[in-house]
Amino acid sequence: MSDMFRLDGKIALVTGSSQGIGNALAQGLADQGAIPVINGRDAARTEAAVEAFRKQGIKAWPAIFDVTDRASVEAGIAKIEDEIGPIEILINNAGIQYRTPLEDFPAEQWQRLFDTNVSGTFYTGQAVARHMIGRGRGKIINICSVQSELARPGIAPYTATKGAVRNLTRGMCTDWAKYGLQINAIAPGYFETPLNQALVDDPAFTAWLEKRTPAGRWGNVEELIGAAVFLASSASSFVNGHTLAVDGGITVSV
C-alpha cells in the first residue's frame, strides 16, 4: 500500500513555496521522492529556499515568476518543461490576504486579491494543464481555505476569492478529468504561517480560535502534508473535483 503514496522522480511545481505552507508542502512531496520546483517572485528568497532543499540532498529547482502576470507564468512553465522536465504535479498555493472592514476596503486591494488568489490559480493551472492534457495525466491541487465556506469580519473579499477557487477546482475537473487529470483542493483551517502572523500574535484571537475549533488549537503546517501527498499520488486516482478540509473540525462545528 505504501507504494501508492510514493512520488519518485515526479516533478512537482508549488507556487508561492519559498516560505509558509507552500514550502512545507514542497518538503512533504520531496520526502516522498518528488523533485520540487520552488516558485516565488522574490529571486533571492526563492534561491535561498532551493539551497535549503539542496543542503538536505534534495534535488530542487527554482522557478521565478509572478503568478499574476499571465505572460510570465506561461514563460515560466515553458522553461520548466523544456529545462527540467514534465510537470506531473502542480500545487497552486500562491495567495495573499488583506484585512479591513468591508465598507473601507480599498478597490486596489480587492483587485490585488483577485489577481493573486484567483487569476494566479487560473493562469498557472491552465498553462500546466495544456502540457498535462497532451500526456494524458497530471495532478493539480488548488489551495482553498475554510473561508471557501465561511466568512469572518474584515476579510469578505478574501472569502470571495477562496470561494471562487473552490468552484474553479470543480470547473477544472469538469473540463479536464476526461483527459486523465485529477484536480482537487485542500482547504486549510487556521495555521501558524507568515500570512496569519498578526492573528497568531493576538491573544484574544487565539483564545477565540481555540474555543471555536473542536481540536482546540492552531494547526501546524506539517499537518497539511498528508493531504497533499494523498492528492498528488496514485492513491487518489479516482478522486476528482473534491475539496479536502484540514481544519481541526472548524467547518463542521457550530
Side-chain angles (χ1 to χ4, degrees), residues 137-156:
R137 66 184 186 279
K139 299 276 191 171
I140 297 176
I141 303 167
N142 297 326
I143 302 301
C144 291
S145 169
V146 292
Q147 265 72 51
S148 297
E149 300 293 333
L150 306 174
R152 287 192 64 254
I155 59 167

Side-chain angles (χ1 to χ4, degrees), residues 193-209:
T193 67
L195 197 67
N196 284 330
Q197 195 58 52
L199 299 180
V200 173
D201 294 340
D202 182 345
F205 184 86
T206 293
W208 171 85
L209 178 68

Side-chain angles (χ1 to χ4, degrees), residues 12 35 60 64 72 112 142 150 173 188 199 214 244 247:
I35 299 170
I64 300 161
S72 176
R112 183 168 169 259
N142 297 326
L150 306 174
C173 165
L199 299 180
L244 175 57
D247 65 357

Side-chain angles (χ1 to χ4, degrees), residues 149-253:
E149 300 293 333
L150 306 174
R152 287 192 64 254
I155 59 167
Y158 177 82
T159 299
T161 67
K162 289 302 182 177
V165 172
R166 180 174 187 184
N167 256 7
L168 179 59
T169 301
R170 291 165 166 162
M172 288 176 168
C173 165
T174 302
D175 273 46
W176 298 338
K178 62 188 176 186
Y179 299 116
L181 279 60
Q182 285 92 51
I183 305 93
N184 295 289
I186 297 172
Y190 285 89
F191 284 77
E192 292 192 49
T193 67
L195 197 67
N196 284 330
Q197 195 58 52
L199 299 180
V200 173
D201 294 340
D202 182 345
F205 184 86
T206 293
W208 171 85
L209 178 68
E210 290 172 349
K211 184 177 180 180
R212 175 67 178 79
T213 305
R217 62 177 176 84
W218 286 89
N220 300 310
V221 292
E222 292 77 14
E223 292 177 293
L224 290 164
I225 290 173
V229 169
F230 166 64
L231 293 176
S233 72
S234 63
S236 60
S237 60
F238 203 57
V239 179
N240 229 328
H242 179 68
T243 298
L244 175 57
V246 184
D247 65 357
I250 196 170
T251 53
V252 298
S253 176

